[in-house]
Amino acid sequence: MLKREKISKVYKALGKTNGHSPSEFDTPSALKIKQIAALDKASVLFILESQEQGLSSGEVKERLITYGLNEVAHEKAPKWYVQLFQAFVNPFIAVLLILVIISAITDIIIQKPGDRDYTTVAVIGTMVMLSALLRFVQEFRSNQAAEKLKSMVKTTATVLRLNEEKREIDIKKLVPGDVIQLSAGDMIPADVRVIQSKDLFVSQAILTGEALPVEKTDAANPNASKQSPLELDNTCFMGTNIVSGTAFAVVVNTGGDTYFGSLSKSLVGKRAETSFDKGVNSVSWLLIRFMLIMVPLVFLINGLTKHDWLQALLFGISIAVGLTPEMLPMIVTANLAKGAVNMSKRKVVVKRLNAIQNIGAMDILCTDKTGTLTMDKIVLERHLNVYGFEDNEVMKWAYLNSFHQTGLKNLLDVAVLEHVDLHACLKEGESYQKVDEIPFDFQRRRMSVILEEKNHKHLLICKGAVEEVLDLCTNAFDPGENNQLEINKDSIVPIDKSMRDTILKTSRKLNEEGLRVLLVAIKEYDERPLTYSVADESNMIMTGFIGFLDPAKPSAKPAIEALHKLGISIKVLTGDNEVVTKKICKDVGIPVNNILLGKDLEHISDEELIAIIDDISILAKLSPIQKSRVVKVLQAKGHTVGFMGDGINDAAALRDADVGISVDTAVDIAKESADIILLEKDLMVLRKGVIYGRRTFGNIIKYIKMTASSNFGNMFSMLGASALLPFLPMLPIQILINNLLYDISQISIPWDIMDDDFIEKPQKWDASGISRFMLFIGPISSIFDYATFGVMWFVFKANSPAHQGLFQSGWFVEGLLSQTLIVHMIRTRKIPFIQSWAATPVVALTSFIMLIGIALPFSPLANAFKLEALPLAYFPWLFGILLAYCLLTQLIKNWFINKFHQWL
């Protein structure tokens, strides 16, 4: 026992003294897996302090204390109150909350009871609450929907325990050293070493992306130390599943020490900033900078000219409120929420609202191959004679072999049978009766059936791997001049060196096209006793090849074309091999520029990768960490990156991308890491998501630009008026009401449409573009504000404090109408009302607000807001000013677009 403990201690120290650089394949857990894979069964059980009959209940209890439960770290949707708090954590809301606090001090706390004004605090507070609650409700619902989508995976395992019957237990209770029984359909509950197997095939697609199952045996692997853990042929990993066969295996790693667990650990915690987060922050700081310049300036000018510093302070705060698009969080959230609702109708669940803008900004989509570009189903693609021509006779022999075998039909047999059913072309099975079978085994890599023909002769049909079957064939059928086999008529030719080279060349060509190739051969016997064995699989006649592929989805090519038209480049990041990936990419229209393999990626620095990454379209044989690294390198180069995947091997990249996209059939860990879940694994569904994302972002940026520039223009007017006039051009209460009415007119913006030319290109936040827009477009309104001042001062003689009410009313109406009209001027690059109309809700609401603005000075509320009725002679002047304003804005707009090549 002492010796055994020493060996275990030395073994457990493995990895701590290892001099390799750390990577996902070079952790203590991975080294443990490799070490175990190299040993024979007795040594494996010895090292793991176990035995074939399993562990005793006492040993299990001890190990549960040592190793903990067999659970992996994963992210759950936060509690509702955490989600509610997070809805308030937003830079735009932070700006408004600062204003609320300042307004509460100046309007309420330092004022006498009779002079307290709650308007500003109430208005801005309402905006903050509505925005946060809308975001909370939408994200809470989406998270609930995502939780419901989680698949109910099998959570039990059949375990052997010493002196007990084998039984089903919760996989959480498994410990290293446990011996488990595995059969077809089981999910592997931990990282295990196979100690006994029969015809065992395991699907590792969720870890590697490879569509075909891999064969697992119980033999020791002396080269294990030189291989990646996922390439070990005697080791199975947590989360993969048994396709066929049975096995007994001993548990090596559990919980966080498993390969799956090591991936999960990297997925819990704070996410990296996405394109949306960076954009929102830059715009928030832009608005804050403008406020920090304008507010003190207005405060000083007012204080120095009017000598009423308290009134100047209040006016300065009103300017801050006026400069801030206080509806911004509300408009952003309403746009995102409406986008999420629209997308949900089109089979897209949005878990995180910000992802809607990110999907619109996405200019590179990294996607896995299996199931996204391909059907995730093996089909029979080719059936060729020895000269490489399509031949139904070869199909017939393959069908008879697959149809009559009684062993477990693997995916290739199913593909053969389904292909024939689809073509409904073979009734040959009725002419033959099965009499014997030589089953498949992994050493021979082939299987044969023996059929009795109508003349009572026996026909052996063999199907298997190319090299193994070819070595047993001495002759081949020559298809003759018509290149079609007719076995009763065609001559039989010997397989000499030339013929052998032709066969191997055809096989290689098919392999290069990404096909898995099998040979089909036959041999006829006179009627004899049914004692057929492996020895009878000799001196056979080769009929031809059958080739299998996980083919491209029919919808993939048009979807890729549609994404390219939207300015999105596609990069394929896969764990599968490059030959198959290259073939699929050609089929779906992804340019195959350069290919980079995972093993080569290991030797390239991030700086070198940044220099070449744009020219590479396929990255194959990637590990999960490498996929994540590629995403980060693309982001470092300034791209907004989407990643689409559904396997465990995709989870890290899904989390690191600007927008992680998964599907409802994905493994739970992928769905937890994703921002968006598609209810159909189809890129065409994603295209709709991109269009909605861009439309949503367009409406957000539209609001920011029109409001920021309009407010900036108003403040410009305020600044001049404060210096020139002997009274305030507009009272604080009037500024707030003006803003409130304008903001209400903006509520309809989420229903607006975007011009096609905007949808066609990826759209990103650009704070410099917004500031440029404010500086060039904002002052246009000031020109006409000053024109209004002139009209009110000189024409209507509102040029003294006694007549300030008339002056303020005149500017209130013109200011509101010009602000509301600017919605239509800015929402499109085209000429409004002629080349482009806003959506009906926008036209209706803006018209309604303009009518309210005109009516307010004549209403019973006028006195409360210190407004006065305007003379009728004012309205022709108003019409002329607004018309001139629209014409000048259109001219400046055309100049701006030509100069800076952008508008929204």
Side-chain angles (χ1 to χ4, degrees):
M1 186 65 182
L2 188 62
K3 183 184 175 190
R4 184 168 175 170
E5 281 177 5
K6 279 183 179 174
I7 290 172
S8 289
K9 280 177 184 173
V10 169
Y11 172 67
K12 285 170 187 170
L14 266 173
K16 292 172 187 172
T17 55
N18 185 282
H20 292 94
S21 61
S23 80
E24 65 202 288
F25 295 147
D26 202 10
T27 61
S29 299
L31 291 168
K32 184 176 178 183
I33 286 281
K34 291 180 182 182
Q35 177 81 356
I36 293 282
L39 303 172
D40 59 27
K41 180 165 79 171
S43 302
V44 168
L45 292 170
F46 180 72
I47 288 262
L48 291 172
E49 300 179 1
S50 185
Q51 47 194 310
E52 282 192 67
Q53 296 79 24
L55 301 171
S56 68
S57 54
E59 286 174 312
V60 170
K61 282 177 187 172
E62 283 178 22
R63 295 189 190 196
L64 272 173
I65 293 167
T66 306
Y67 296 101
L69 290 173
N70 181 30
E71 292 179 316
V72 296
H74 67 102
E75 229 175 3
K76 292 180 181 173
K79 301 285 186 192
W80 70 266
Y81 47 84
V82 176
Q83 285 186 53
L84 181 59
F85 173 75
Q86 287 171 343
F88 283 91
V89 180
N90 175 304
F92 291 147
I93 286 179
V95 172
L96 294 184
L97 287 175
I98 291 167
L99 289 177
V100 166
I101 292 164
I102 295 169
S103 297
I105 293 167
T106 57
D107 291 0
I108 301 168
I109 295 169
I110 67 172
Q111 297 290 343
K112 294 172 185 173
D115 295 333
R116 287 176 181 166
D117 183 359
Y118 294 88
T119 313
T120 309
V121 174
V123 168
I124 300 179
T126 303
M127 298 300 170
V128 168
M129 289 301 295
L130 283 173
S131 168
L133 288 173
L134 188 59
R135 176 176 288 267
F136 164 70
V137 168
Q138 187 60 44
E139 291 198 348
F140 183 71
R141 278 182 184 166
S142 295
N143 271 312
Q144 279 189 318
E147 290 291 315
K148 284 177 190 168
L149 287 173
K150 285 190 175 179
S151 54
M152 297 301 292
V153 293
K154 188 178 179 183
T155 55
T156 60
T158 306
V159 67
L160 277 63
R161 291 276 159 84
L162 200 60
N163 303 322
E164 292 180 31
E165 293 285 319
K166 66 182 176 191
R167 57 196 171 97
E168 294 275 320
I169 65 162
D170 191 326
I171 62 168
K172 289 194 286 191
K173 302 287 177 61
L174 285 177
V175 294
D178 258 331
V179 176
I180 58 172
Q181 183 178 3
L182 298 167
S183 55
D186 286 352
M187 186 187 83
I188 311 279
D191 289 354
V192 300
R193 162 71 154 84
V194 178
I195 54 173
Q196 185 184 323
S197 69
K198 184 175 190 326
D199 302 341
L200 186 65
F201 275 92
V202 175
S203 169
Q204 294 189 160
I206 60 169
L207 288 179
T208 63
E210 293 193 49
L212 284 168
V214 290
E215 173 189 333
K216 299 285 181 179
T217 68
D218 51 24
N221 182 343
N223 298 316
S225 61
K226 297 172 186 171
Q227 291 178 287
S228 148
L230 294 175
E231 292 171 343
L232 299 173
D233 55 7
N234 57 13
T235 305
C236 303
F237 295 89
M238 178 189 252
T240 59
N241 61 287
I242 309 289
V243 174
S244 64
T246 57
F248 286 93
V250 60
V251 174
V252 180
N253 290 326
T254 58
D257 291 331
T258 60
Y259 182 73
F260 181 11
S262 67
L263 290 177
S264 298
K265 281 179 190 171
S266 67
L267 301 174
V268 178
K270 195 171 186 305
R271 288 170 172 262
E273 270 197 340
T274 66
S275 164
F276 182 88
D277 302 322
K278 291 169 188 167
V280 165
N281 287 336
S282 65
V283 172
S284 298
W285 280 110
L286 171 71
L287 296 173
I288 289 166
R289 282 198 300 274
F290 268 101
M291 263 193 281
L292 290 174
I293 294 165
M294 293 293 286
V295 173
L297 205 54
V298 171
F299 170 65
L300 286 171
I301 291 171
N302 253 296
L304 291 170
T305 56
K306 309 293 186 301
H307 307 294
D308 184 344
W309 291 97
L310 179 59
Q311 189 65 28
L313 178 63
L314 291 173
F315 190 63
I317 290 165
S318 294
I319 294 291
V321 173
L323 261 179
T324 308
E326 61 271 9
M327 284 280 285
L328 186 53
M330 174 78 180
I331 292 288
V332 168
T333 308
N335 269 292
L336 295 176
K338 185 171 186 302
V341 170
N342 282 339
M343 287 164 81
S344 69
K345 290 175 186 170
R346 281 154 182 79
K347 302 186 178 178
V348 181
V349 174
V350 181
K351 279 177 61 188
R352 276 175 277 277
L353 285 184
N354 294 354
I356 294 177
Q357 189 273 317
N358 288 330
I359 200 173
M362 174 175 73
D363 60 336
I364 288 185
L365 173 66
C366 298
T367 178
D368 192 19
K369 172 184 67 69
T370 309
T372 307
L373 302 178
T374 68
M375 293 173 69
D376 198 10
K377 178 186 176 184
I378 302 300
V379 301
L380 178 64
E381 189 85 349
R382 312 290 290 275
H383 41 94
L384 312 176
N385 58 38
V386 287
Y387 292 138
F389 293 96
E390 290 283 337
D391 201 315
N392 284 333
E393 193 81 2
V394 177
M395 180 72 252
K396 179 177 92 172
W397 303 120
Y399 167 80
L400 290 170
N401 176 284
S402 295
F403 181 80
H404 287 292
Q405 68 129 326
T406 55
L408 187 81
K409 288 181 169 52
N410 63 29
L411 292 174
L412 304 183
D413 289 313
V414 172
V416 169
L417 298 174
E418 283 186 352
H419 184 87
V420 173
D421 286 344
L422 282 170
H423 290 79
C425 62
L426 285 180
K427 301 242 175 170
E428 297 287 347
E430 297 169 8
S431 307
Y432 299 89
Q433 187 172 347
K434 180 184 169 184
V435 291
D436 205 352
E437 180 173 359
I438 308 168
F440 179 88
D441 68 59
F442 291 122
Q443 279 69 43
R444 288 165 44 246
R445 297 176 67 205
R446 62 182 184 272
M447 69 82 52
S448 301
V449 295
I450 294 89
L451 308 179
E452 186 176 43
E453 300 176 89
K454 285 181 179 176
N455 59 10
H456 301 297
K457 285 190 175 184
H458 290 178
L459 183 68
L460 181 148
I461 307 171
C462 178
K463 176 176 94 248
V466 173
E467 298 282 352
E468 282 74 359
V469 174
L470 184 57
D471 287 345
L472 299 171
C473 292
T474 50
N475 297 290
F477 283 109
D478 185 337
E481 289 182 10
N482 65 355
N483 290 316
Q484 292 295 306
L485 283 181
E486 295 172 64
I487 286 179
N488 295 328
K489 301 177 185 175
D490 287 334
S491 59
I492 296 170
V493 294
I495 297 180
D496 54 16
K497 185 179 183 305
S498 170
M499 173 65 82
R500 185 181 176 86
D501 288 346
T502 300
I503 291 167
L504 290 174
K505 185 180 175 184
T506 303
S507 173
R508 267 195 308 276
K509 183 168 175 281
L510 292 171
N511 284 146
E512 284 166 9
E513 290 176 12
L515 275 75
R516 168 92 173 265
V517 183
L518 300 181
L519 291 191
V520 181
I522 63 172
K523 184 177 182 181
E524 200 169 44
Y525 289 92
D526 289 327
E527 191 174 6
R528 52 169 268 192
L530 302 178
T531 55
Y532 287 95
S533 68
V534 172
D536 293 303
E537 294 174 323
S538 59
N539 300 318
M540 295 187 291
I541 305 168
M542 183 187 152
T543 64
F545 311 83
I546 49 175
F548 301 87
L549 185 68
D550 177 9
K553 277 185 177 176
S555 64
K557 188 166 187 176
I560 297 283
E561 282 174 12
L563 289 172
H564 281 154
K565 282 178 185 171
L566 291 172
I568 298 171
S569 304
I570 314 285
K571 292 190 187 294
V572 179
L573 276 58
T574 181
D576 206 348
N577 72 67
E578 70 279 12
V579 175
V580 175
T581 308
K582 189 175 174 182
K583 151 81 174 154
I584 294 298
C585 286
K586 281 182 178 170
D587 288 349
V588 300
I590 296 174
V592 181
N593 301 331
N594 291 294
I595 299 173
L596 184 63
L597 300 183
K599 60 183 171 56
D600 301 321
L601 185 61
E602 282 296 307
H603 306 297
I604 296 175
S605 70
D606 282 354
E607 290 72 24
E608 290 170 317
L609 187 56
I610 284 173
I612 62 171
I613 191 68
D614 283 343
D615 299 323
I616 297 168
S617 57
I618 296 173
L619 295 102
K621 282 283 182 189
L622 295 187
S623 71
I625 303 301
Q626 288 174 329
K627 287 185 179 184
S628 181
R629 182 185 167 203
V630 170
V631 166
K632 287 175 181 171
V633 163
L634 286 165
Q635 288 170 326
K637 198 157 185 184
H639 295 292
T640 299
V641 183
F643 185 91
M644 187 170 178
D646 63 351
I648 296 169
N649 58 331
D650 299 318
L654 281 167
R655 186 184 168 85
D656 288 330
D658 289 294
V659 55
I661 305 152
S662 196
V663 289
D664 64 331
T665 52
V667 296
D668 284 355
I669 188 174
K671 286 189 288 201
E672 284 162 10
S673 300
D675 303 301
I676 287 175
I677 298 174
L678 307 182
L679 302 185
E680 274 183 20
K681 199 171 185 183
D682 188 346
L683 287 175
M684 207 52 105
V685 175
L686 184 61
R687 174 187 166 272
K688 292 173 189 168
V690 170
I691 290 170
Y692 273 108
R694 291 184 185 173
R695 186 179 298 167
T696 301
F697 176 68
N699 285 332
I700 292 170
I701 208 74
K702 190 186 291 181
Y703 171 78
I704 291 173
K705 284 190 172 180
M706 63 180 58
T707 306
S709 62
S710 177
N711 288 357
F712 180 64
N714 281 348
M715 295 314 110
F716 229 101
S717 304
M718 285 280 190
L719 201 58
S722 299
L724 299 172
L725 299 175
F727 49 80
L728 291 176
M730 206 184 292
L731 297 175
I733 183 70
Q734 293 166 350
I735 292 174
L736 283 172
I737 294 302
N738 191 305
N739 268 352
L740 184 60
L741 286 170
Y742 172 68
D743 287 340
I744 290 169
S745 76
Q746 307 300 291
I747 291 172
S748 58
I749 281 185
W751 282 266
D752 198 13
I753 51 178
M754 297 301 302
D755 294 333
D756 290 342
D757 56 355
F758 183 87
I759 300 289
E760 284 166 6
K761 284 181 269 186
Q763 303 295 338
K764 299 185 184 183
W765 292 95
D766 178 11
S768 62
I770 293 169
S771 60
R772 189 190 303 131
F773 195 96
M774 286 171 71
L775 291 168
F776 282 99
I777 306 301
I780 300 173
S781 66
S782 295
I783 296 169
F784 296 95
D785 286 340
Y786 287 122
T788 305
F789 295 165
V791 169
M792 298 311 295
W793 186 275
F794 296 110
V795 177
F796 296 104
K797 307 301 181 188
N799 49 19
S800 68
H803 297 103
Q804 66 175 343
L806 182 62
F807 186 100
Q808 289 158 352
S809 300
W811 190 36
F812 177 88
V813 173
E814 185 273 338
L816 179 63
L817 267 60
S818 63
Q819 268 190 303
T820 313
L821 268 176
I822 202 74
V823 171
H824 297 277
M825 300 302 302
I826 287 177
R827 60 165 295 280
T828 175
R829 294 167 69 106
K830 300 174 182 174
I831 302 170
F833 310 117
I834 296 173
Q835 295 176 326
S836 176
W837 273 85
T840 306
V842 179
V843 174
L845 195 54
T846 50
S847 302
F848 180 62
I849 292 299
M850 288 167 82
L851 288 172
I852 288 178
I854 293 168
L856 209 52
F858 301 94
S859 73
L861 292 170
N863 201 37
F865 301 139
K866 299 183 173 62
L867 294 169
E868 290 182 17
L870 292 159
L872 287 176
Y874 164 82
F875 290 99
W877 285 100
L878 176 66
F879 178 78
I881 287 169
L882 292 177
L883 181 62
Y885 176 44
C886 289
L887 291 172
L888 183 60
T889 303
Q890 187 64 38
L891 286 171
I892 299 290
K893 183 206 291 188
N894 293 340
W895 170 84
F896 188 95
I897 291 168
N898 291 329
K899 171 81 174 167
F900 301 109
H901 306 292
Q902 74 170 142
W903 183 241
L904 291 177

